[in-house]
Amino acid sequence: MICECKKAVGELICNLTYFLASHDSLKVLYRGLQGVFRIVPFSIYEMAGSKTCPPEFMNIIKRDRVGYTTHPVYNNDPDDQELIPRAMSDLACYYYRDVKLHGDSDFVIDSKNRCVINDFYNELDRRFQIFDGLLYRLKGKIAILRYDGRREDRHLSDGIMLSGRFSSNYYHQMYELMIRLLLLDKAEIPESVPLIVDEIVFRVESLTHIFNNLNSSGRKVITIGSKEVIGFDQLYTFSGVNQIPPHTRKIRDIVCTNVVFDLDLTLAMRDRLLVIGSTRQFPRRIFLTRKNTSHRHFNENEVFSLLQGYGFESVAPEEYSIEDQIALFHNAEVIVGGTGAAFTNLLFCSYGCKVICLKGIVSDNPVFTTVAMGVGVQMRYCTDRRVTKNIHGNFVIEVSSLDSMIKQYVG
């Protein structure tokens, strides 16, 4: 009940703010509301992209990019294992002056112009919404931030932004944040400028190992806490390498063309990390258990009982070092498991590996399938036959349907 009340109050404040900001005749009241917010740990900013709030200068790293997407294949549907080319925006390095960063956030805070800069905002439409460590509410271009507009825990002369939202999520760290380490030798940034990295990277052993193996720059590393604010005289940022929407209001609204991967850079990251894989021997047929997770549970015991008859062994990737996880996926011939962050490791699979991912909802979201097809993996989904809307909810797999898929698809 308390949570619902807070949500209602938040929506009311957001709607009032948006209404006042949208009418020129009410600008005085809007500015007054901004002043009121200064006495609480929230502030009102306007969302902007690099085009509407331009940086001091921009260095184009890669022009005329061609990315790829795919259509996920479900159950026993006909194969559609094809990479679909899509034009991507130029990959750029931006340079800003007198801005701030908040931990676990994609936003660059420009207090002078009362705006927060996030390039995905340029492509935001009704289907998408932004979740961010700094953002409390967003409506139109009006952003209410969990920030008083003045706080600055530290101040640095310069830095390179490698921090961002969902920093504790393995998938987002790999494909949105750490992949930017591959851009450092292409950007014209003085070697003395340090890297700004979310603190969580050095508190999770697997993330630390990945970071250290991708970071060949030799630059100093400075961490930023999840609620910390750091001010900069000069800040360098990168545009998104892969096009991955921040969140969808309805998962079925997403289409494959919303998710596009720069496979050149994604596969370059794969090559850099494959070499650290261990020599440990793992089963060829693996079932990825989700018993250690708190959501997206399914009838796992029943599913695994079936899979055991086909020679599968159960493994929990999170219990292994990243070196062993790389070897686990690289050596596998067949992988079955419930959808989740473990499928980030499809990047390390060998050509010809077959994957069946179990999930509770059908959508055209290719966040895993594009990476899989990019490395030559044949992947399809086995879904719950019931109607469900919650992507993170529990689900039930019909064992007979999975059995049919294995007979037809795996053999």
Side-chain angles (χ1 to χ4, degrees):
M1 184 67 180
I2 294 177
C3 182
E4 289 299 319
C5 288
K6 286 183 177 180
K7 183 177 179 180
V9 170
E11 291 296 334
L12 177 63
I13 293 173
C14 189
N15 290 337
L16 174 62
T17 304
Y18 179 74
F19 176 78
L20 296 178
S22 301
H23 294 78
D24 290 337
S25 60
L26 300 176
K27 286 293 184 182
V28 173
L29 292 177
Y30 172 59
R31 297 303 178 194
L33 186 60
Q34 284 184 312
V36 171
F37 265 77
R38 289 182 180 276
I39 64 175
V40 294
F42 291 91
S43 57
I44 302 170
Y45 278 65
E46 294 187 5
M47 289 289 296
S50 58
K51 295 178 182 178
T52 52
C53 192
E56 294 287 327
F57 71 79
M58 177 176 66
N59 174 28
I60 302 296
I61 296 174
K62 189 178 179 182
R63 299 181 184 274
D64 303 319
R65 288 199 298 161
V66 176
Y68 293 89
T69 186
T70 54
H71 287 294
V73 180
Y74 286 89
N75 302 312
N76 285 319
D77 292 345
D79 278 332
D80 187 11
Q81 307 283 321
E82 179 183 6
L83 288 168
I84 305 168
R86 298 287 297 182
M88 299 186 76
S89 58
D90 292 341
L91 189 53
C93 176
Y94 303 128
Y95 171 78
Y96 294 97
R97 287 183 181 274
D98 191 22
V99 292
K100 299 181 180 70
L101 289 183
H102 187 288
D104 194 31
S105 172
D106 277 354
F107 297 157
V108 174
I109 306 169
D110 183 344
S111 295
K112 181 179 179 181
N113 295 304
R114 299 293 294 184
C115 69
V116 283
I117 306 161
N118 183 318
D119 256 1
F120 190 82
Y121 177 72
N122 293 329
E123 301 173 26
L124 199 65
D125 63 29
R126 67 172 184 81
R127 293 169 301 149
F128 301 120
Q129 57 185 332
I130 295 178
F131 286 105
D132 188 276
L134 178 62
L135 183 66
Y136 177 63
R137 287 286 190 280
L138 173 67
K139 183 164 186 178
K141 66 177 182 178
I142 303 301
I144 299 179
L145 309 181
R146 296 183 179 93
Y147 171 58
D148 64 8
R150 301 181 300 278
R151 179 168 62 90
E152 187 176 288
D153 299 303
R154 277 189 287 169
H155 191 91
L156 302 174
S157 60
D158 50 23
I160 302 171
M161 180 184 179
L162 294 181
S163 57
R165 65 185 172 86
F166 304 149
S167 56
S168 61
N169 183 284
Y170 182 33
Y171 181 89
H172 292 281
Q173 268 290 346
M174 284 281 286
Y175 295 121
E176 294 189 278
L177 301 179
M178 291 207 203
I179 196 170
R180 295 176 182 173
L181 287 164
L182 304 183
L183 307 179
L184 293 175
D185 60 351
K186 300 177 177 64
E188 299 173 358
I189 304 175
E191 293 183 2
S192 60
V193 181
L195 307 177
I196 309 301
V197 180
D198 282 294
E199 184 179 71
I200 187 69
V201 170
F202 295 97
R203 287 198 279 112
V204 177
E205 186 176 6
S206 59
L207 295 181
T208 304
H209 286 191
I210 292 171
F211 181 90
N212 288 338
N213 281 280
L214 290 178
N215 180 25
S216 59
S217 69
R219 294 174 185 270
K220 180 181 178 181
V221 177
I222 296 175
T223 61
I224 181 171
S226 62
K227 296 182 180 180
E228 185 179 16
V229 178
I230 301 180
F232 296 89
D233 295 328
Q234 306 170 92
L235 181 69
Y236 297 86
T237 72
F238 294 107
S239 57
V241 175
N242 295 317
Q243 179 182 306
I244 303 173
H247 206 277
T248 53
R249 297 182 188 279
K250 296 179 180 178
I251 190 64
R252 288 192 176 91
D253 282 348
I254 200 168
V255 295
C256 70
T257 51
N258 299 137
V259 182
V260 184
F261 280 80
D262 184 322
L263 285 181
D264 287 343
L265 284 166
T266 301
L267 296 181
M269 180 169 67
R270 175 183 190 265
D271 292 341
R272 290 273 290 272
L273 292 173
L274 271 181
V275 297
I276 69 171
S278 72
T279 58
R280 185 172 175 178
Q281 295 300 306
F282 287 99
R284 292 293 191 178
R285 294 190 169 197
I286 59 175
F287 171 68
L288 307 178
T289 177
R290 288 189 59 81
K291 288 185 176 179
N292 296 336
T293 62
S294 59
H295 54 264
R296 287 201 292 267
H297 289 167
F298 58 97
N299 50 323
E300 184 169 315
N301 290 338
E302 190 180 10
V303 166
F304 183 54
S305 179
L306 167 72
L307 294 176
Q308 281 182 302
Y310 288 96
F312 283 79
E313 295 185 36
S314 178
V315 296
E318 66 274 13
E319 294 178 356
Y320 296 98
S321 68
I322 188 60
E323 292 84 357
D324 280 348
Q325 288 184 48
I326 292 172
L328 172 70
F329 280 77
H330 191 65
N331 294 331
E333 293 178 350
V334 188
I335 301 171
V336 179
T339 184
F343 280 88
T344 302
N345 288 328
L346 292 180
L347 183 67
F348 307 122
C349 287
S350 297
Y351 183 88
C353 177
K354 295 182 178 181
V355 175
I356 297 177
C357 182
L358 314 175
K359 63 184 297 189
I361 191 168
V362 174
S363 72
D364 198 26
N365 188 347
V367 291
F368 293 128
T369 54
T370 303
V371 173
M373 291 187 197
V375 299
V377 168
Q378 300 175 51
M379 181 179 183
R380 61 176 56 230
Y381 290 91
C382 181
T383 57
D384 190 338
R385 299 289 183 176
R386 301 170 305 169
V387 176
T388 179
K389 297 180 179 180
N390 184 2
I391 188 176
H392 298 296
N394 299 338
F395 57 95
V396 177
I397 294 295
E398 290 183 4
V399 174
S400 59
S401 296
L402 178 58
D403 190 30
S404 174
M405 286 182 66
I406 293 174
K407 284 184 171 71
Q408 177 177 326
Y409 178 55
V410 177

